[in-house]
Amino acid sequence: MRFKKAYVEITDICNLSCAFCPGTKRKKAMMTEDEFSLVLKKLRPFTDHIYLHIMGEPLLHPDLPAFLDVAAKQDFRVVVTTNGTLLGERGEALLSCAAVKKVNISVHSFEASKQSVTLDGYLEGCLSFAKMAEGRKIIALRLWNSGGMDEKNGEIIDIIRRFFSDPWEKSRTGVCIGKNIFIEYGEKFDWPDIELTTENEKVFCYGLRDQIGVLCDGTVVPCCLDKDGNLALGNIFSENLEDILVKPRAKAIYDGFSRRTAVEELCRKCGYAKRFG
């Protein structure tokens, strides 16, 4: 089995508390460099792409440059998702690593969180990084807040135009504003929540098909939205991934979605999975 991507959570600690993010009930933790190296070694036969994101802010990890070196040595292509607040301090590590192919910057986080900086100050850090990355990396400025906290989107677009002037061209998911620089639009979605009373059994998901996730404690989960490890399939620190994937729970989840049926309660309560139902 091969996956298009594996989400690797190097920390579940975040420096923001955004309205759209439910956070996690798990113990706050960070992977060690040895643990990260082990995870990548075990993932290598299954994917070429790792995404540093599930919960937490990856740029908070003090060993991020070393982690990127590990990924480069194992010939991975890396995608990093960040709220953008630390790009001024950690951006050079992303720019200097050839393994980093794309950086997703969740600029919708500004309106949804309490920050000590102004919108201008926040975006200046994000957009200065994007300007330096132009032609070197793919940059996605995410506005995934349609139907949510999106009142400042017009103001955000106006500020972006100061850094990236016309012509802008429509792309598949938004607008191309520079060489490999994009604004990506998306709708606000409801995270899966085991406490919800409403559920829909007839859903489809790409979990265990084109993606898999590893939490910072080594727990393997089917997708990037299992924030609390409710669908724990095993632990990659102590088990091999090929053994985890043939366990009854993993096979039941995969086979269920082949029938467009969610066998797990959490999956039946996932707002995102309903998009594929």
Side-chain angles (χ1 to χ4, degrees):
M1 180 181 292
R2 292 278 295 176
F3 300 105
K4 289 184 178 178
K5 54 197 171 188
Y7 290 87
V8 180
E9 178 193 77
I10 60 175
T11 180
D12 59 1
I13 302 170
C14 190
N15 59 339
L16 295 182
S17 180
C18 298
F20 60 80
C21 177
T24 177
K25 300 174 184 176
R26 291 179 283 124
K27 179 182 177 181
K28 301 305 180 186
M30 291 188 176
M31 270 191 193
T32 67
E33 185 178 344
D34 286 344
E35 288 171 341
F36 184 72
S37 298
L38 179 62
V39 169
L40 293 201
K41 181 180 179 180
K42 291 187 176 183
L43 285 174
R44 196 64 194 87
F46 295 90
T47 189
D48 297 322
H49 296 80
I50 59 168
Y51 284 50
L52 299 187
H53 181 59
I54 294 183
M55 287 278 104
E57 169 53 53
L59 270 62
L60 274 176
H61 202 299
D63 296 328
L64 178 64
F67 282 24
L68 296 177
D69 286 343
V70 169
K73 289 175 181 176
Q74 296 199 34
D75 200 27
F76 277 101
R77 296 180 178 181
V78 180
V79 177
V80 179
T81 298
T82 174
N83 59 38
T85 56
L86 300 175
L87 284 170
E89 304 168 34
R90 311 305 299 276
E92 182 54 38
L94 304 179
L95 293 175
S96 62
C97 179
V100 175
K101 303 301 180 183
K102 183 178 181 182
V103 180
N104 299 314
I105 308 173
S106 300
V107 294
H108 53 262
S109 66
F110 182 86
E111 189 169 5
S113 62
K114 295 180 180 180
Q115 297 195 39
S116 59
V117 297
T118 63
L119 178 59
D120 273 291
Y122 165 71
L123 287 176
E124 182 176 357
C126 296
L127 297 172
S128 294
F129 170 81
K131 201 69 180 175
M132 289 188 291
E134 187 172 11
R136 301 166 63 185
K137 311 290 183 185
I138 300 171
I139 303 296
L141 303 169
R142 287 180 169 178
L143 285 171
W144 286 14
N145 57 2
S146 177
M149 303 179 72
D150 58 3
E151 293 183 4
K152 291 187 179 293
N153 281 10
E155 188 176 352
I156 289 171
I157 295 299
D158 288 341
I159 295 173
I160 292 174
R161 286 190 183 276
R162 298 179 199 166
F163 287 78
F164 296 93
S165 56
D166 288 327
W168 288 9
E169 298 181 2
K170 288 185 178 181
S171 67
R172 183 175 59 86
T173 57
V175 184
C176 178
I177 62 174
K179 187 175 181 181
N180 290 330
I181 310 294
F182 301 89
I183 300 172
E184 290 186 354
Y185 296 101
E187 295 181 358
K188 174 187 174 294
F189 63 88
D190 294 323
W191 284 70
D193 186 346
I194 204 73
E195 302 297 329
L196 292 178
T197 57
T198 58
E199 59 181 74
N200 184 1
E201 185 175 342
K202 292 296 180 181
V203 296
F204 177 78
C205 180
Y206 288 99
L208 294 181
R209 273 181 161 72
D210 75 357
Q211 67 170 271
I212 196 166
V214 179
L215 303 181
C216 61
D217 65 356
T219 300
V220 175
V221 292
C223 78
C224 62
L225 295 181
D226 188 4
K227 59 186 178 60
D228 288 318
N230 287 297
L231 305 184
L233 304 176
N235 193 292
I236 202 168
F237 292 165
S238 57
E239 302 172 83
N240 291 322
L241 189 55
E242 52 264 40
D243 296 328
I244 293 172
L245 293 174
V246 297
K247 288 184 178 182
R249 189 175 200 180
K251 289 178 64 65
I253 292 171
Y254 184 96
D255 292 342
F257 283 129
S258 296
R259 304 187 301 271
R260 294 191 175 272
T261 299
V263 300
E264 294 281 353
E265 182 182 6
L266 185 70
C267 301
R268 295 195 293 269
K269 297 179 177 181
C270 177
Y272 196 87
K274 292 176 184 177
R275 297 183 178 193
F276 310 112

